[in-house]
Amino acid sequence: MDTAKLLEPFKDNNKRITVLTGAGISAESGIPTFRGPEGYWTVGSREYRPEEMATHSMFTQNPWEVWAWYLYRHTVCKNAKPNSGHHAIARMEELFKDRFCLITQNVDGLHLRAGNSLERTFQIHGNINYTRCAGECTPRLFEFPEGIVDKKKDQPVTEEEKKLLTCPRCGSLARPHILWFDECYNETWYKAESAMGWATSTDLLLVVGTAGATNLPMQIGMMVARNPEAVIVDINLSDNPFRQFAAGHDRGIVLDGPGGKFLPELLSLWEP
Ligand SMILES: [Zn+2]
């Protein structure tokens, strides 16, 4: 079956649509995945990999190095702009309303800036534009503090900035609102159960720019792939497990290329 035939019916049926995004869509906005050399960080005489920096254990030992790394990343994200793929996904939410849900692994906040609502966006790895109390005095999120200037790579946190990076409620250290490698998904901060619950009954899964390296997205992909009635679409520059799910499914679609190209094309099938 061709793409239009599989996807056009969603225009006015009552079925559920889930978009799942990963680093690939943000790379098109110039945000590196940070798994490569851009994410390496020198502390003293040692160079650390992102998988070592983005951990609770590193934050406990070396909070200001971890914060310096995140302030640099925050600067990169802040200066990036949503691309045509992000805008197409925001438009999908407008069209499909409560039939639509976005699950993103990206912490850059670009989907929200493009116009997706917080209510219908599960940011399962957090959002770099928020902080929370490292002492967990409250589950509340706090907006990224004003007064922190743009950072270059390896630029340290100043004493003034350290004062800003504290919990406004109890005064203890604040942390980035990010799921670290040595932490688990949960509902309170990462809406993991909500995301999984929604995806359980989705009729269309549209996967964009993710390599499938993380656990929750893989579970969602496997679950939808087992449903013979669902439609599964993979948009990516390279092979990945979601592509295998789509390729092996009767109602699967593989689109080899960037989200910025294919998402507006798919959207045009649904525009009134
Ligand atoms: Zn606190």
Side-chain angles (χ1 to χ4, degrees):
M1 245 193 276
D2 68 17
T3 303
K5 229 177 211 163
L6 280 172
L7 295 182
E8 255 166 358
F10 286 91
K11 186 173 177 178
D12 32 40
N13 62 21
N14 55 2
K15 293 186 167 178
R16 284 189 175 197
I17 291 139
T18 306
V19 177
L20 170 65
T21 64
I25 191 167
S26 296
E28 292 174 49
S29 286
I31 298 178
T33 66
F34 291 103
R35 295 224 180 196
E38 298 92 346
Y40 284 56
W41 198 258
T42 308
V43 180
S45 58
R46 235 203 96 177
E47 196 173 56
Y48 289 86
R49 293 176 295 118
E51 294 85 343
E52 298 171 287
M53 289 304 294
T55 59
H56 188 266
S57 135
M58 180 63 108
F59 185 73
T60 307
Q61 293 162 42
N62 237 328
W64 299 117
E65 284 296 339
V66 172
W67 258 123
W69 188 59
Y70 276 106
L71 294 186
Y72 161 63
R73 294 185 61 165
H74 180 263
T75 301
V76 173
C77 295
K78 195 185 88 180
N79 293 324
K81 289 190 176 61
N83 62 59
S84 54
H86 293 103
H87 290 301
I89 294 170
R91 176 68 181 144
M92 287 175 201
E93 181 176 337
E94 272 179 15
L95 289 174
F96 298 126
K97 302 183 176 67
D98 58 4
R99 292 201 281 137
F100 173 93
C101 186
L102 169 62
I103 301 172
T104 185
Q105 299 165 80
N106 300 335
V107 300
D108 49 52
L110 288 182
H111 286 300
L112 299 182
R113 279 169 59 193
N116 282 107
S117 71
L118 188 57
E119 192 195 352
R120 309 212 67 79
T121 304
F122 299 128
Q123 302 175 93
I124 58 170
H125 292 166
N127 183 327
I128 201 163
N129 299 313
Y130 291 85
T131 69
R132 52 183 217 245
C133 178
E136 299 188 9
C137 78
T138 169
R140 261 181 70 193
L141 302 182
F142 302 104
E143 298 224 6
F144 191 82
E146 281 177 35
I148 293 180
V149 298
D150 283 7
K151 295 286 183 190
K152 293 192 182 69
K153 208 178 167 186
D154 295 312
Q155 209 177 331
V157 186
T158 66
E159 291 308 313
E160 280 306 303
E161 288 166 340
K162 287 180 187 177
K163 287 180 200 143
L164 297 171
L165 294 167
T166 52
C167 169
R169 196 168 169 271
C170 76
S172 63
L173 193 59
R175 58 167 280 175
H177 171 48
I178 304 272
L179 176 69
W180 282 326
F181 284 101
D182 54 354
E183 295 179 316
C184 297
Y185 288 107
N186 63 46
E187 176 64 16
T188 307
W189 286 311
Y190 308 111
K191 302 286 178 271
E193 286 158 33
S194 300
M196 197 66 192
W198 171 273
T200 304
S201 53
T202 197
D203 303 286
L204 167 62
L205 178 66
L206 190 53
V207 186
V208 190
T210 176
T214 55
N215 184 282
L216 183 59
M218 278 301 289
Q219 281 185 47
I220 290 170
M222 279 190 280
M223 195 173 60
V224 178
R226 280 198 298 265
N227 175 2
E229 298 301 314
V231 176
I232 180 162
V233 183
D234 180 65
I235 302 175
N236 211 317
L237 297 175
S238 54
D239 197 12
N240 72 86
F242 296 99
R243 175 157 302 182
Q244 297 305 316
F245 294 145
H249 197 286
D250 284 345
R251 291 156 67 79
I253 299 166
V254 171
L255 299 172
D256 194 350
K261 170 181 184 280
F262 283 117
L263 287 165
E265 285 182 21
L266 298 186
L267 176 65
S268 68
L269 296 171
W270 297 318
E271 285 285 6

